[in-house]
Amino acid sequence: MDLPSLAVVLRAALSHVPEERKAAEESLNQFQYTPQHLVRLLQIIVDGSCDMAVRQVASIHFKNFIAKNWSPNDPDESPKVLESDKAMVRENILGFIVQVPPLLRAQLGESIKTIIHSDYPEQWPSLLHWVTHNLELQNQIFGALYVLRVLARKYEFKSEDERIPLYHIVEETFPRLLSIFSKLVQIVNPPIEVADLIKLICKIFWSSIYLEIPKQLFDPNVFNAWMVLFINLLERPVPVEGQPIDPEIRKSWGWWKVKKWTIHILNRLYTRFGDLKLQKPESKAFAQMFQKTYAGKILACHMQLLNAILTGDYLPDRVINLVLQYLTNSVTKNSMYQMMQPQIDILLFEIIFPLMCFNDKDQNLWDEDPHEYVRKGYDIIEDLYSPRTAAMDFVSELVRKRGKNNLQKFIHFVVDIFRRYDEAPADLKPYRQKDGALLAIGTLCDKLKQTDPYKSELERMLVQHVFPEFSSRVGHLRAKAAWVAGQYAHINFSDPNNFRQAMHCIVSGMRDPDLPVRVDSVFALRSFVEACKDLDEIRPILPQLLDEFFKLMNEVENEDLVFTLETIVDKFGEEMAPYALGLCQNLAAAFWRCMASSEADDEADDSGALAAVGCLRAISTILESISSLPHLFIQIEPTLLPIMRRMLTSDGQDILVPLDNYISRGTDHFLACKDPDYQQSLWNALQSIMMDENMEDSDIEPAPKLIEVLFQNCKGNVDPWVEHYLRITIERLRRTQKPYLKCLLVQVIANALYYNPLLTLETLNKLGVAADIFNHWFAMLQQVKKSGARVNFKREHDKKVCCLGLTSLIGLPADKIPAEALDRIFKATLELLVAYKDQVAENKKQNEEDADDMDGFDADEDDEEVDSDKEMGLDDEDGDEVSSLELQKLAAEARGFLPADEDDDSDDGFSDDEELQSPIDEVDPFIFFVETVQGLQASDPARFQNLMQTLDFRYQALASGIAQHAEERKVEIEKEKLEKANAQ
């Protein structure tokens, strides 16, 4: 298709006539793989004489085509873009970044990102030279910075080994970048375009130092030159002229973005690299230098910035949030806290506390969009940007680490607000300050519950200052009273009537006219149900409670609502039987609403999908509670079958994970039922997902986890399916790039070996892949980073599954496992068991230390702690907004659906990402290994003796240590069983 014809087709794609639009789309699809098609699209995009709407359609088509076809997922797949076309696109696209308007630049930028991630440095070695050359040209600096930002961001989250190209990029570009940065900062009365350039430089610097500081910046003179400029930007006021009036637009104004990114970078340097407890000598020296030279200056600038809150001047929420994070991280450091101390009262009572109070913005949202008010209040992403959350964190850390000097006066301040509120007439009461005081009391709940003299006064405080607000004429105080009551539900009430009164008020709050009050009441109810020692307190109101609950579920899609229902079901168990059908019907209805909501808005965050998953999990809990009443399943099945069918289609694959409960809790039914045939349906779905070449690695991670659930729960009952699942697992493994998915797929094989080692090994041999699979597996086990940390199988669960699979092979007869293979398996299993043992011990130690931290609350602990590094580093190419994919990933991680950061450099503390119960929970891998080896010794003494003789001293010592540990575990397990029996 020539250029004029392509332009005509693109215009037709905008037609209001469906037939014309469909014909144009079909034509584009038909010709998209023809030579020069991409090049012609690019020509139209940059043609200033062409209609802007046509150029925009071309840019979107160009971006989508490159995203899908530039780099095939399967290495064996034939390329869909000619190398000559690729070369022409690479040669021309960079220069167009400056020429096209912002609307088109975003699409081209995405395309450049795709190409860079695929081709640099191997297929695009000239890219860096283009950047360095154009950084020298005045009229090309923006384009060069734009591309350099994309290039640096490619390596932002990469591990040390993968970041090597970045260090070369830094070496080649940072000297010139620093020079440009310096000149820009020195411009007097700079135009807004300068802010855009500085923002790009900040983003480049951020990506380059996010995980590690490049060695070039360890030069004190070079680093100081950068820091002087950043601190200059931090100190100088944002220009007044040109600031938008609308707060939503104002926060995204270029100079406020510069301020935000400057603080972002300085916080990152402080929290990740400025900590004196870093172990590497070179890092420790850097931390000492940073603390001594810069940390205090930054703190002083931050304190000065916060004065805007005192004077009523504007500060974006994100800037306030970041500044308070810096202050919170400074509380534990003596020198920094000493700097804060003279101003601590002003900071605490005139800056921090007002941020905790209900404000005009809250009231407008409460009145105009209560659903959005509820969403923001329970959204973990909002917490990343919220000044209120940052203020709460500061208060918590201050009283935890510096409580001796601050807790008493802060509580006196709160009590004084309570007093003034009580004494004032209704029309003059400080309602918003009371709201902030209640938030403070709830925030400090854990501290107050363990600190004299406050812990003995908590019940009186609730009765006197919290419970009366259940009937307040002000809605936000009714909501806050419910929230605070929920925080303190677990204290020991000396008067049971007070507990009863609070719970009844919370149930009444579920009928409140204001939606946020109803939602907060439901969440508080969960705490009271958990704390309730006598279920007779709840039984009389249970029908009413459930009725109100489902009314609220019809209004709000929120996964946390379902958590409350799960708590109620779990607490009452079989007593829920009379309500089981109604509960499942209501949850099923909620599930379909959530799914419809999720599908209706692909760009929205995944709250609808998460709420749908919550509904499924609650249904699973209900089924478990009535597992001894099978007659109820017949009544419930018609309600659940449509959901099961939906989950077992490709459309429902992103809610795959809850199926584990259906298999693990209802195993007999899953295996026996033939109408519908759940085993066949499960296979159809998993095969479709695993074999889908268009699905990214990250999208199919629930599938191998579900195969694991099948093998572990159905041992001995799914032999016909073993070969099928191994085939699709091996096929997917061949083209998988993502290390975590590789681990999950290898663990499917390990689970199959544990399920039936002989059948699995014979199947692998039949498929002709046994040697390749084991070589690949052992290579993954041996792969380590420079630090010595394992690259693969990081979780305890991963190691345990691999141990069980490999150990199962040891017990096979000699004609199935040759001596050489047995030796290799035995040694690999020993090393893995040792690593598993060390990780279990380390995690146990860490948990005990965490518990000590929570229990001890040593208010005057002066030692400097390693900071939690709350900077998530989430941003997109436009600056501060988090992309939909990143939101979904973060939300999923928080709920255990995705693994933690794959680039984490340590096994220690790498916690398991799900809390699913499994039959292997009861299997101790050390005892299993020793008993398997003993079985080998008994059945084939000569083979056992030969194996032992091939072990060198190190492996003999490892084997002896594992045998000893297995005996210790037997004693521990017996002790745990005895304690459990005595507790019943």
PDB file of all heavy atoms in Angstrom, residues 378-394:
ATOM      1  N   TYR A 378      -9.003   3.447  51.290  1.00  0.00           N
ATOM      2  CA  TYR A 378      -8.548   2.063  51.449  1.00  0.00           C
ATOM      3  C   TYR A 378      -7.662   1.629  50.278  1.00  0.00           C
ATOM      4  O   TYR A 378      -7.520   0.443  50.005  1.00  0.00           O
ATOM      5  CB  TYR A 378      -9.749   1.120  51.573  1.00  0.00           C
ATOM      6  CG  TYR A 378     -10.463   1.293  52.889  1.00  0.00           C
ATOM      7  CD1 TYR A 378     -11.547   2.157  53.009  1.00  0.00           C
ATOM      8  CD2 TYR A 378     -10.028   0.623  54.031  1.00  0.00           C
ATOM      9  CE1 TYR A 378     -12.186   2.339  54.220  1.00  0.00           C
ATOM     10  CE2 TYR A 378     -10.661   0.798  55.242  1.00  0.00           C
ATOM     11  CZ  TYR A 378     -11.739   1.654  55.338  1.00  0.00           C
ATOM     12  OH  TYR A 378     -12.365   1.840  56.550  1.00  0.00           O
ATOM     13  N   ASP A 379      -7.035   2.590  49.618  1.00  0.00           N
ATOM     14  CA  ASP A 379      -6.200   2.296  48.457  1.00  0.00           C
ATOM     15  C   ASP A 379      -4.732   2.409  48.848  1.00  0.00           C
ATOM     16  O   ASP A 379      -4.255   3.474  49.236  1.00  0.00           O
ATOM     17  CB  ASP A 379      -6.519   3.291  47.339  1.00  0.00           C
ATOM     18  CG  ASP A 379      -5.857   2.922  46.015  1.00  0.00           C
ATOM     19  OD1 ASP A 379      -4.858   2.181  46.051  1.00  0.00           O
ATOM     20  OD2 ASP A 379      -6.346   3.353  44.967  1.00  0.00           O
ATOM     21  N   ILE A 380      -3.990   1.298  48.743  1.00  0.00           N
ATOM     22  CA  ILE A 380      -2.587   1.317  49.146  1.00  0.00           C
ATOM     23  C   ILE A 380      -1.761   2.229  48.250  1.00  0.00           C
ATOM     24  O   ILE A 380      -0.720   2.741  48.667  1.00  0.00           O
ATOM     25  CB  ILE A 380      -1.974  -0.104  49.130  1.00  0.00           C
ATOM     26  CG1 ILE A 380      -2.076  -0.733  47.751  1.00  0.00           C
ATOM     27  CG2 ILE A 380      -2.618  -0.973  50.176  1.00  0.00           C
ATOM     28  CD1 ILE A 380      -1.375  -2.066  47.626  1.00  0.00           C
ATOM     29  N   ILE A 381      -2.206   2.463  47.019  1.00  0.00           N
ATOM     30  CA  ILE A 381      -1.477   3.357  46.135  1.00  0.00           C
ATOM     31  C   ILE A 381      -1.623   4.796  46.601  1.00  0.00           C
ATOM     32  O   ILE A 381      -0.675   5.580  46.561  1.00  0.00           O
ATOM     33  CB  ILE A 381      -1.969   3.217  44.677  1.00  0.00           C
ATOM     34  CG1 ILE A 381      -1.868   1.762  44.229  1.00  0.00           C
ATOM     35  CG2 ILE A 381      -1.159   4.122  43.755  1.00  0.00           C
ATOM     36  CD1 ILE A 381      -0.488   1.175  44.305  1.00  0.00           C
ATOM     37  N   GLU A 382      -2.816   5.153  47.043  1.00  0.00           N
ATOM     38  CA  GLU A 382      -3.029   6.508  47.564  1.00  0.00           C
ATOM     39  C   GLU A 382      -2.093   6.790  48.730  1.00  0.00           C
ATOM     40  O   GLU A 382      -1.640   7.914  48.929  1.00  0.00           O
ATOM     41  CB  GLU A 382      -4.488   6.687  48.003  1.00  0.00           C
ATOM     42  CG  GLU A 382      -5.494   6.703  46.861  1.00  0.00           C
ATOM     43  CD  GLU A 382      -5.405   7.953  46.012  1.00  0.00           C
ATOM     44  OE1 GLU A 382      -4.904   8.984  46.506  1.00  0.00           O
ATOM     45  OE2 GLU A 382      -5.834   7.895  44.842  1.00  0.00           O
ATOM     46  N   ASP A 383      -1.804   5.757  49.518  1.00  0.00           N
ATOM     47  CA  ASP A 383      -0.918   5.947  50.675  1.00  0.00           C
ATOM     48  C   ASP A 383       0.473   6.408  50.255  1.00  0.00           C
ATOM     49  O   ASP A 383       1.161   7.093  51.010  1.00  0.00           O
ATOM     50  CB  ASP A 383      -0.797   4.648  51.476  1.00  0.00           C
ATOM     51  CG  ASP A 383      -2.076   4.340  52.246  1.00  0.00           C
ATOM     52  OD1 ASP A 383      -2.926   5.257  52.356  1.00  0.00           O
ATOM     53  OD2 ASP A 383      -2.226   3.211  52.729  1.00  0.00           O
ATOM     54  N   LEU A 384       0.884   6.038  49.054  1.00  0.00           N
ATOM     55  CA  LEU A 384       2.214   6.439  48.596  1.00  0.00           C
ATOM     56  C   LEU A 384       2.324   7.944  48.425  1.00  0.00           C
ATOM     57  O   LEU A 384       3.408   8.515  48.525  1.00  0.00           O
ATOM     58  CB  LEU A 384       2.531   5.771  47.258  1.00  0.00           C
ATOM     59  CG  LEU A 384       2.676   4.254  47.253  1.00  0.00           C
ATOM     60  CD1 LEU A 384       2.887   3.781  45.833  1.00  0.00           C
ATOM     61  CD2 LEU A 384       3.826   3.820  48.136  1.00  0.00           C
ATOM     62  N   TYR A 385       1.203   8.583  48.151  1.00  0.00           N
ATOM     63  CA  TYR A 385       1.208  10.021  47.862  1.00  0.00           C
ATOM     64  C   TYR A 385       0.575  10.861  48.963  1.00  0.00           C
ATOM     65  O   TYR A 385       0.606  12.083  48.902  1.00  0.00           O
ATOM     66  CB  TYR A 385       0.450  10.288  46.551  1.00  0.00           C
ATOM     67  CG  TYR A 385       0.976   9.521  45.376  1.00  0.00           C
ATOM     68  CD1 TYR A 385       0.184   8.591  44.703  1.00  0.00           C
ATOM     69  CD2 TYR A 385       2.279   9.716  44.935  1.00  0.00           C
ATOM     70  CE1 TYR A 385       0.685   7.882  43.620  1.00  0.00           C
ATOM     71  CE2 TYR A 385       2.782   9.010  43.853  1.00  0.00           C
ATOM     72  CZ  TYR A 385       1.977   8.097  43.195  1.00  0.00           C
ATOM     73  OH  TYR A 385       2.488   7.400  42.132  1.00  0.00           O
ATOM     74  N   SER A 386      -0.007  10.230  49.939  1.00  0.00           N
ATOM     75  CA  SER A 386      -0.842  10.942  50.907  1.00  0.00           C
ATOM     76  C   SER A 386      -0.021  11.653  51.979  1.00  0.00           C
ATOM     77  O   SER A 386       0.757  11.018  52.696  1.00  0.00           O
ATOM     78  CB  SER A 386      -1.793   9.950  51.581  1.00  0.00           C
ATOM     79  OG  SER A 386      -2.364  10.518  52.727  1.00  0.00           O
ATOM     80  N   PRO A 387      -0.186  12.971  52.152  1.00  0.00           N
ATOM     81  CA  PRO A 387       0.440  13.668  53.275  1.00  0.00           C
ATOM     82  C   PRO A 387      -0.051  13.138  54.616  1.00  0.00           C
ATOM     83  O   PRO A 387       0.705  13.078  55.581  1.00  0.00           O
ATOM     84  CB  PRO A 387       0.024  15.127  53.070  1.00  0.00           C
ATOM     85  CG  PRO A 387      -0.323  15.237  51.629  1.00  0.00           C
ATOM     86  CD  PRO A 387      -0.889  13.899  51.248  1.00  0.00           C
ATOM     87  N   ARG A 388      -1.313  12.749  54.670  1.00  0.00           N
ATOM     88  CA  ARG A 388      -1.881  12.268  55.938  1.00  0.00           C
ATOM     89  C   ARG A 388      -1.210  10.956  56.361  1.00  0.00           C
ATOM     90  O   ARG A 388      -0.851  10.788  57.535  1.00  0.00           O
ATOM     91  CB  ARG A 388      -3.393  12.079  55.796  1.00  0.00           C
ATOM     92  CG  ARG A 388      -4.077  11.647  57.084  1.00  0.00           C
ATOM     93  CD  ARG A 388      -5.591  11.797  56.962  1.00  0.00           C
ATOM     94  NE  ARG A 388      -5.941  13.197  56.825  1.00  0.00           N
ATOM     95  CZ  ARG A 388      -6.949  13.646  56.086  1.00  0.00           C
ATOM     96  NH1 ARG A 388      -7.703  12.794  55.401  1.00  0.00           N
ATOM     97  NH2 ARG A 388      -7.212  14.935  56.024  1.00  0.00           N
ATOM     98  N   THR A 389      -1.044  10.044  55.426  1.00  0.00           N
ATOM     99  CA  THR A 389      -0.363   8.790  55.750  1.00  0.00           C
ATOM    100  C   THR A 389       1.068   9.052  56.199  1.00  0.00           C
ATOM    101  O   THR A 389       1.556   8.443  57.162  1.00  0.00           O
ATOM    102  CB  THR A 389      -0.367   7.856  54.529  1.00  0.00           C
ATOM    103  OG1 THR A 389      -1.718   7.598  54.138  1.00  0.00           O
ATOM    104  CG2 THR A 389       0.320   6.544  54.852  1.00  0.00           C
ATOM    105  N   ALA A 390       1.758   9.966  55.501  1.00  0.00           N
ATOM    106  CA  ALA A 390       3.141  10.293  55.878  1.00  0.00           C
ATOM    107  C   ALA A 390       3.184  10.936  57.261  1.00  0.00           C
ATOM    108  O   ALA A 390       4.111  10.680  58.042  1.00  0.00           O
ATOM    109  CB  ALA A 390       3.750  11.234  54.837  1.00  0.00           C
ATOM    110  N   ALA A 391       2.176  11.762  57.579  1.00  0.00           N
ATOM    111  CA  ALA A 391       2.114  12.378  58.907  1.00  0.00           C
ATOM    112  C   ALA A 391       1.900  11.314  59.981  1.00  0.00           C
ATOM    113  O   ALA A 391       2.529  11.351  61.053  1.00  0.00           O
ATOM    114  CB  ALA A 391       0.987  13.418  58.952  1.00  0.00           C
ATOM    115  N   MET A 392       1.026  10.357  59.715  1.00  0.00           N
ATOM    116  CA  MET A 392       0.789   9.265  60.659  1.00  0.00           C
ATOM    117  C   MET A 392       2.062   8.446  60.879  1.00  0.00           C
ATOM    118  O   MET A 392       2.392   8.069  62.004  1.00  0.00           O
ATOM    119  CB  MET A 392      -0.344   8.374  60.140  1.00  0.00           C
ATOM    120  CG  MET A 392      -1.709   9.055  60.115  1.00  0.00           C
ATOM    121  SD  MET A 392      -2.909   8.198  59.037  1.00  0.00           S
ATOM    122  CE  MET A 392      -3.092   6.639  59.889  1.00  0.00           C
ATOM    123  N   ASP A 393       2.785   8.184  59.781  1.00  0.00           N
ATOM    124  CA  ASP A 393       4.038   7.426  59.899  1.00  0.00           C
ATOM    125  C   ASP A 393       5.057   8.175  60.747  1.00  0.00           C
ATOM    126  O   ASP A 393       5.785   7.574  61.544  1.00  0.00           O
ATOM    127  CB  ASP A 393       4.620   7.160  58.503  1.00  0.00           C
ATOM    128  CG  ASP A 393       3.808   6.154  57.712  1.00  0.00           C
ATOM    129  OD1 ASP A 393       2.997   5.439  58.328  1.00  0.00           O
ATOM    130  OD2 ASP A 393       3.981   6.086  56.479  1.00  0.00           O
ATOM    131  N   PHE A 394       5.118   9.500  60.560  1.00  0.00           N
ATOM    132  CA  PHE A 394       6.077  10.294  61.338  1.00  0.00           C
ATOM    133  C   PHE A 394       5.755  10.225  62.828  1.00  0.00           C
ATOM    134  O   PHE A 394       6.636  10.005  63.655  1.00  0.00           O
ATOM    135  CB  PHE A 394       6.068  11.747  60.865  1.00  0.00           C
ATOM    136  CG  PHE A 394       6.997  12.633  61.650  1.00  0.00           C
ATOM    137  CD1 PHE A 394       8.344  12.697  61.337  1.00  0.00           C
ATOM    138  CD2 PHE A 394       6.530  13.384  62.723  1.00  0.00           C
ATOM    139  CE1 PHE A 394       9.209  13.499  62.076  1.00  0.00           C
ATOM    140  CE2 PHE A 394       7.384  14.185  63.462  1.00  0.00           C
ATOM    141  CZ  PHE A 394       8.731  14.232  63.135  1.00  0.00           C
TER     142      PHE A 394
END
